[in-house]
Amino acid sequence: MQATMNANTMNSYADPHAQELFWLQRCKDGDEAALGVLVARHRTRLIRVASNILRDTYEAEDVAQESFLKAFRELPNLRDDRAFAGYLYRICVRLCMDRLRVRKPGVAEFDGSVPHEGGAVENRLLIEKLLAQLSPDLRLTLVLREIEQLSYEEVASAMQVPVGTVRSRLHAAREKFRDLWLNATKETR
Amino acid sequence: MRTWLRKRRFWRTLQAADERELNASELIFLNACRQDDPVVAAEEEAQQVCLAALRACVIEPDDDPTFDRRLMRRYRIERMKARAEYWSPAVVGAAVAAIAVLAFLQVLTGPSNLRTIDTSRSEVHNTRPERVFFPEFRPSLRDDR
């Protein structure tokens, strides 16, 4: 009943930002329905970014759940409620980074006898192999910029590093990725 | 050395195009580099191809209907654990205090003869049995004669 009333009250908020603040306040008061609303709002984006960084949907879901749990745990300490989305995103990126660091670095296993045809599936496999060979920092920077299409400032905020570091990492990541790509596809050229 | 610096400047300028619009002199410089050095031009093309392939490899995960339920279950378990961790020192403290009070009450209200028994036992252990002499049965030398 209470939740329905709150939902009706929410309809009066046209601004999604104001809605977010409302649900956050409800969460702080211990309302589980409000938690559900926040999860529904941010779930898709979080799973997507984690999937693209980790290249594993199951692990990405696990990371997304951990991110939500950590965010809800720290919710009472959040100073600025307006920053919740960014805060959640940062947690997710950091958890992905931790997972990448634990993984063993990828080993180049290019079969020179099979020429790279450039098909969609083949490209995908190749890209995943190449990404596995980048260091976690370079990989994360490249994915956030190229796949997630974040600006330099947004990448810096998500990774909690200065913008200058993002610039140099992106430069190094592109260079390394290009060299790996050239090395992998040189048989067909 | 000069070529290396020029190449470096080429890539830096190219990357700057990510953040802002390049001015006329920068565009002229890029074009000059491409024309002068075919290796640079080929590398630039390769970079465009591989980054386009990377962008095409975006994963769009399916919406898992059980995600919310699993998350809420994990959330409730975590909250229960947190509560247990928060209250466990108080519960342990209260239990210890209760045991201490019970033991104290037991000592106070216990049967008083326990003390007597203990005392008598200690006396038994501490005293030696007395020797009993029977003078009438004492052998005498006179009888031997």
Side-chain angles (χ1 to χ4, degrees), chain A residues 72-101:
Chain A
F72 291 152
R73 214 181 300 138
E74 303 289 329
L75 206 54
N77 305 328
L78 188 65
R79 286 181 201 163
D80 185 6
D81 285 352
R82 287 168 298 177
F84 179 72
Y87 177 64
L88 195 58
Y89 199 80
R90 271 198 300 279
I91 292 174
C92 184
V93 168
R94 211 179 311 142
L95 288 174
C96 287
M97 180 70 118
D98 292 345
R99 298 259 177 150
L100 287 179
R101 282 186 178 139

Side-chain angles (χ1 to χ4, degrees), chain B residues 71-111:
Chain B
L71 175 61
M72 292 317 284
R73 194 168 58 218
R74 278 179 77 173
Y75 175 71
R76 286 188 197 113
I77 291 170
E78 198 168 272
R79 270 184 77 181
M80 274 170 61
K81 274 186 188 170
R83 268 187 213 157
E85 274 173 22
Y86 180 80
W87 287 108
S88 59
V91 169
V92 169
V96 169
I99 290 168
V101 168
L102 278 174
F104 183 66
L105 287 174
Q106 188 72 26
V107 168
L108 279 184
T109 59

Side-chain angles (χ1 to χ4, degrees), chain B residues 2 5 28 32 38 42-43 54 68 75 109 127:
Chain B
R2 196 167 162 238
L5 283 173
I28 290 168
E43 281 179 352
L54 176 65
D68 293 17
Y75 175 71
T109 59
T127 54

Side-chain angles (χ1 to χ4, degrees), chain B:
Chain B
M1 183 67 182
R2 196 167 162 238
T3 318
W4 182 81
L5 283 173
R6 198 161 184 247
K7 204 174 166 183
R8 195 173 165 213
R9 193 180 149 206
F10 172 83
W11 290 112
R12 296 268 172 208
T13 312
L14 205 62
Q15 191 174 351
D18 265 5
E19 293 180 277
R20 61 180 172 83
E21 208 169 316
L22 299 182
N23 58 37
S25 65
E26 285 171 328
L27 289 172
I28 290 168
F29 170 73
L30 289 180
N31 283 330
C33 285
R34 283 175 194 130
Q35 281 171 1
D36 295 347
D37 193 347
V39 176
V40 167
E43 281 179 352
E44 188 195 0
E45 195 189 337
Q47 178 159 302
Q48 282 171 358
V49 171
C50 71
L51 292 182
L54 176 65
R55 284 184 216 112
C57 281
V58 61
I59 297 177
E60 292 289 353
D62 297 328
D63 219 5
D64 183 359
T66 63
F67 181 87
D68 293 17
R69 203 175 60 234
R70 284 185 288 130
L71 175 61
M72 292 317 284
R73 194 168 58 218
R74 278 179 77 173
Y75 175 71
R76 286 188 197 113
I77 291 170
E78 198 168 272
R79 270 184 77 181
M80 274 170 61
K81 274 186 188 170
R83 268 187 213 157
E85 274 173 22
Y86 180 80
W87 287 108
S88 59
V91 169
V92 169
V96 169
I99 290 168
V101 168
L102 278 174
F104 183 66
L105 287 174
Q106 188 72 26
V107 168
L108 279 184
T109 59
S112 56
N113 56 352
L114 282 175
R115 224 176 302 161
T116 322
I117 291 166
D118 281 342
T119 315
S120 65
R121 274 185 187 165
S122 63
E123 277 173 0
V124 167
H125 286 295
N126 292 334
T127 54
R128 288 179 180 176
E130 272 183 30
R131 282 183 181 178
V132 181
F133 295 103
F134 301 98
E136 58 271 27
F137 292 113
R138 202 176 277 182
S140 167
L141 285 173
R142 269 187 302 178
D143 298 336
D144 293 341
R145 285 177 193 162

Side-chain angles (χ1 to χ4, degrees), chain A residues 48 52 55 120 123-124 126-128 130-131 139 141-150 152 170 173-174 177 181, chain B residues 11 14-15 17-18 44-60:
Chain A
R48 189 191 124 108
N52 282 312
R55 311 300 296 181
N123 262 353
R124 184 175 283 268
L126 178 63
I127 291 289
E128 284 176 9
L130 299 185
L131 283 176
R139 177 176 172 161
T141 315
L142 195 65
V143 168
L144 290 179
R145 174 66 191 159
E146 297 296 340
I147 297 183
E148 290 296 310
Q149 303 277 305
L150 299 187
Y152 281 44
L170 195 59
R174 281 173 174 163
F177 193 70
W181 174 271
Chain B
W11 290 112
L14 205 62
Q15 191 174 351
D18 265 5
E44 188 195 0
E45 195 189 337
Q47 178 159 302
Q48 282 171 358
V49 171
C50 71
L51 292 182
L54 176 65
R55 284 184 216 112
C57 281
V58 61
I59 297 177
E60 292 289 353

